[in-house]
């Protein structure tokens, strides 16, 4: 009797596997997304699911640590987000919305690396060689060791890798590359997994640093498969879009370093270049308007002074609008509820909009106090002096909590010559700034 052939279905949206076909994926809820995998594809699923290698476990005390080797990308901001430079043999995913500058940045990085004498391959499946050449002229990226391959078949890319020794590869983009061994469409889970798996293997075997460009959807996640994020070593995303002057690259995952730092770039005719003097790029000291307040957030090791803006206007809807750009909506709702309750401001009859200038996303709670101040200022139509900076996290019961690295933040404020700060607790050193202690939100109202 012959052994029964094993069947396996896989959701092309989320990667769920099932021995039975289903009309609707039970994991992500997508309709008609399950396809049957052939034997080769099943093999890949198995290989990527279980960790490879047959090494026997050893006592941790016997194992010697390995130093992570790195080389510079000759771009200070990228080096910073990567945790100190490029790691040979690492796979890095760079995601961002169309036009944000992924191709521009990586072509320049490729040329920087080629300039160091390392063979670098730029694989483009989106643009023609001629288009890339035009961009290279603009970016001054013409280097002898930078090679261009206009190709969408993975097998051809692999063939190229067997012809010449490369130290860095840039794939632009993962959504356009496909493997002929697999029947499903480019960008599907099966394709992306196979391609990433093959790239990962080649990166580790030959110690090649590989950058993969990926498009992201409106919701901000990588278009198509999440499996990609799990498989690669490092994930970096561009925040904001092409309309912003500054483009921010944030680390989400890094097997070789911290993810706390951001990279700040600006789009210029000569490319996407590391922004200079970033701490003063997110606010202006010009005339103050109602609804604007300043704060200092920490992005990794760097303090950044930010302007937060609020617009409070009477609502004609049964459910007033609450919308935040660059700030979490849930947190805004919490702060608004607190204002209503504690300070008896009837915000339930008002629309409230929040905007963080410069396209940065605030992930820290230390901006709470400034958000409250901006809302109150807009509500009362009274401007806050641009000499004042607000720092503090607000709790559900209306206390203002201390924030970490207050000293670093105050030092930064002093550097930019602000004269007043509203903070949760008197600091040990005020760096010449007049500090007001605001440990409860009611005190904020008193002050204002
Ligand atoms: N001649 C130019 N001068 C300055 N900026 C340009 C020029 N041409 C294109 N750009 C900028 O480059 C951006 C496109 O970048 P690109 O790297 O192709 O983005 P992505 O690869 O992320 O889709 C455009 O949004 C535009 O701002
Ligand atoms: Mg591009």
């Amino acid at each position: 009797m012959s052994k029964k052939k094993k069947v396996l279905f896989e959701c092309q949206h989320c990667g769920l596997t099932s021995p039975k076909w289903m009309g609707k994926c039970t994991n992500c809820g997508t309709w008609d997304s399950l396809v049957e995998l052939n034997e080769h594809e099943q093999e890949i699923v198995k290989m990527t699911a279980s960790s490879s290698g047959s090494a026997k476990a050893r006592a941790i005390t016997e194992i010697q640590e390995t130093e992570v080797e790195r080389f510079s990308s000759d771009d200070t901001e990228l080096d910073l987000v990567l945790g100190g430079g490029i790691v040979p043999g690492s796979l890095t995913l760079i995601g961002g919305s169309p036009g944000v500058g992924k191709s521009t940045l990586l072509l320049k990085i490729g040329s920087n690396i080629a300039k160091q004498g390392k063979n670098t391959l730029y694989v483009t499946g989106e643009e023609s060689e001629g288009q890339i050449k035009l961009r290279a002229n603009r970016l001054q990226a013409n280097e002898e060791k930078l090679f261009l391959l206009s190709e969408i078949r993975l097998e051809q890319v692999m063939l190229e890798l067997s012809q010449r020794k490369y130290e860095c590869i840039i794939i632009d983009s993962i959504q356009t590359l496909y493997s002929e061994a697999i029947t499903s469409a480019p960008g599907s889970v099966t394709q992306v997994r196979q391609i990433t798996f093959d790239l990962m293997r080649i990166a580790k075997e030959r110690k090649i640093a590989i950058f993969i460009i990926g498009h992201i959807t409106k919701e901000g996640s990588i278009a198509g498969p999440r499996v990609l994020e799990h498989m690669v070593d490092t994930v970096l995303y561009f925040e904001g879009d092409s309309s912003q002057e500054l483009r921010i690259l944030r680390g989400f995952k890094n097997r070789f370093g911290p993810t706390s730092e951001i990279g700040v770039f600006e789009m210029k005719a000569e490319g996407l270049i590391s922004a200079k003097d970033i701490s003063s790029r997110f606010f202006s000291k010009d005339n103050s308007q109602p609804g604007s307040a300043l704060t200092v957030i920490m992005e990794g090791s760097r303090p950044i002074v930010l302007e937060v803006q609020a617009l409070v206007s009477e609502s004609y809807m049964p459910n007033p609008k609450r919308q935040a750009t660059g700030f979490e909506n849930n947190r805004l709702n919490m702060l608004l509820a607190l204002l209503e309750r504690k300070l008896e401001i009837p915000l339930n009859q008002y629309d409230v909009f929040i905007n963080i200038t410069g396209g940065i996303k605030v992930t820290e709670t230390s901006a709470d106090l400034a958000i409250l101040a901006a809302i109150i200022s807009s509500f009362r139509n009274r401007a806050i002096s641009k000499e004042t900076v607000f720092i503090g996290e607000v709790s559900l019961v209306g206390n203002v909590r201390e924030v970490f690295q207050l000293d670093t933040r105050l030092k930064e404020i002093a550097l930019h010559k602000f004269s007043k700060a509203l903070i949760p607790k008197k600091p040990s050193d005020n760096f010449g700034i007049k500090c007001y202690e605001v440990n409860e939100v009611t005190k904020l109202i008193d002050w204002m």
Side-chain angles (χ1 to χ4, degrees):
M1 238 171 61
S2 69
K3 222 173 116 199
K4 206 174 149 203
K5 198 181 129 210
K6 237 187 134 183
V7 280
L8 195 64
F9 296 89
E10 180 178 52
C11 170
Q12 293 303 295
H13 188 72
C14 70
L16 174 95
T17 51
S18 157
K20 269 198 307 204
W21 188 83
M22 300 180 282
K24 184 185 179 186
C25 174
T26 50
N27 184 39
C28 66
T30 315
W31 286 94
D32 202 19
S33 61
L34 268 77
V35 298
E36 187 176 347
L37 302 181
N38 64 28
E39 269 174 43
H40 173 69
E41 291 164 350
Q42 290 189 25
E43 202 61 21
I44 295 283
V45 172
K46 265 190 233 140
M47 273 199 282
T48 47
S50 64
S51 67
S52 56
S54 61
K56 295 231 166 55
R58 284 194 293 155
I60 194 161
T61 47
E62 283 173 19
I63 296 168
Q64 292 213 325
E65 66 270 27
T66 43
E67 279 277 318
V68 179
E69 237 183 275
R70 294 175 193 275
F71 64 91
S72 173
S73 65
D74 288 339
D75 182 300
T76 46
E77 294 290 314
L78 183 69
D79 279 356
L80 191 67
V81 209
L82 287 173
I86 301 169
V87 178
S90 67
L91 205 57
T92 304
L93 169 67
I94 298 197
S97 55
V100 78
K102 301 177 295 295
S103 305
T104 308
L105 177 70
L106 284 171
L107 185 63
K108 187 66 186 165
I109 296 300
S111 98
N112 287 356
I113 296 167
K115 206 176 190 168
Q116 300 171 16
K118 299 178 166 77
N119 282 341
T120 303
L121 179 65
Y122 191 101
V123 181
T124 172
E126 306 216 324
E127 291 158 298
S128 68
E129 284 177 357
Q131 281 170 304
I132 304 276
K133 175 68 185 179
L134 267 179
R135 181 181 289 139
N137 288 345
R138 179 160 61 86
L139 309 183
Q140 297 178 346
N142 290 304
E143 289 293 331
E144 228 167 79
K145 299 214 159 172
L146 178 61
F147 298 86
L148 203 57
L149 180 67
S150 180
E151 187 54 70
I152 55 172
R153 289 163 301 173
L154 179 70
E155 286 73 16
Q156 294 301 312
V157 177
M158 290 299 171
L159 192 67
E160 172 63 31
L161 298 184
S162 62
Q163 312 287 338
R164 191 181 273 123
K165 200 173 173 297
Y166 288 102
E167 289 183 64
C168 176
I169 306 170
I170 294 153
I171 304 285
D172 190 1
S173 66
I174 188 78
Q175 276 94 3
T176 52
L177 205 60
Y178 81 99
S179 165
E180 287 164 331
I182 296 211
T183 46
S184 50
S188 64
V189 168
T190 335
Q191 282 287 358
V192 166
R193 184 187 309 104
Q194 165 89 54
I195 294 166
T196 313
F197 183 72
D198 284 349
L199 290 174
M200 178 71 109
R201 208 180 46 205
I202 211 123
K204 305 289 168 208
E205 269 171 24
R206 304 194 196 164
K207 287 199 120 187
I208 305 173
I210 302 184
F211 289 92
I212 299 174
I213 293 178
H215 296 292
I216 61 173
T217 60
K218 279 215 183 73
E219 295 81 49
S221 67
I222 196 94
R226 267 247 122 96
V227 284
L228 186 55
E229 283 178 0
H230 301 310
M231 289 170 77
V232 299
D233 296 313
T234 307
V235 179
L236 311 176
Y237 279 136
F238 273 108
E239 263 167 29
D241 51 50
S242 52
S243 64
Q244 250 116 28
E245 185 196 340
L246 294 175
R247 316 279 160 93
I248 292 150
L249 192 61
R250 191 184 289 276
F252 278 83
K253 165 183 174 181
N254 193 348
R255 287 189 182 142
F256 304 111
T259 51
S260 53
E261 300 286 355
I262 57 166
V264 186
F265 299 89
E266 53 189 320
M267 189 55 93
K268 293 245 171 101
E270 62 273 26
L272 195 59
I273 55 172
S274 290
K276 301 239 157 56
D277 193 17
I278 68 155
S279 66
S280 58
R281 300 293 294 269
F282 295 93
F283 70 97
S284 83
K285 273 188 133 183
D286 303 347
N287 61 338
S288 48
Q289 299 279 348
S292 158
L294 296 164
T295 187
V296 189
I297 59 164
M298 292 300 299
E299 280 297 350
S301 55
R302 302 185 290 192
I304 295 175
V305 181
L306 276 188
E307 180 176 341
V308 309
Q309 297 170 340
L311 176 64
V312 178
S313 76
E314 214 170 320
S315 178
Y316 299 98
M317 305 281 194
N319 290 320
K321 268 197 172 164
R322 269 86 222 270
Q323 206 171 320
T325 311
F327 190 74
E328 211 193 318
N329 248 326
N330 286 339
R331 192 135 193 109
L332 171 63
N333 283 328
M334 184 280 263
L335 293 175
L336 290 174
L338 193 72
L339 276 180
E340 273 191 43
R341 189 59 188 275
K342 281 267 163 183
L343 311 173
E344 290 167 18
I345 298 176
L347 283 170
N348 57 352
Q349 296 150 30
Y350 290 81
D351 291 333
V352 180
F353 302 93
I354 297 289
N355 180 43
I356 310 289
T357 58
I360 201 165
K361 268 196 197 127
V362 174
T363 49
E364 232 199 293
T365 47
S366 64
D368 288 354
L369 202 62
I371 299 269
L372 288 184
I375 293 170
I376 298 167
S377 159
S378 174
F379 178 75
R380 293 188 172 165
N381 203 21
R382 241 185 282 158
I384 304 166
S385 124
K386 281 259 163 125
E387 282 306 311
T388 315
V389 177
F390 299 83
I391 306 168
E393 173 186 338
V394 175
S395 79
L396 277 181
V397 291
N399 295 332
V400 181
R401 291 214 193 106
E402 284 178 61
V403 299
F404 66 96
Q405 298 202 7
L406 184 64
D407 277 3
T408 316
R409 299 178 204 238
L410 286 175
K411 218 165 156 183
E412 187 68 21
I413 299 174
L415 201 71
H416 293 291
K417 307 211 162 41
F418 292 101
S419 59
K420 290 179 218 158
L422 270 75
I423 51 176
K425 206 179 154 197
K426 279 253 146 79
S428 44
D429 184 353
N430 64 7
F431 300 95
I433 301 160
K434 210 164 182 189
C435 292
Y436 298 90
E437 197 177 315
V438 176
N439 52 13
E440 261 183 65
V441 286
T442 42
K443 286 197 180 160
L444 176 69
I445 289 275
D446 296 346
W447 183 86
M448 288 179 82

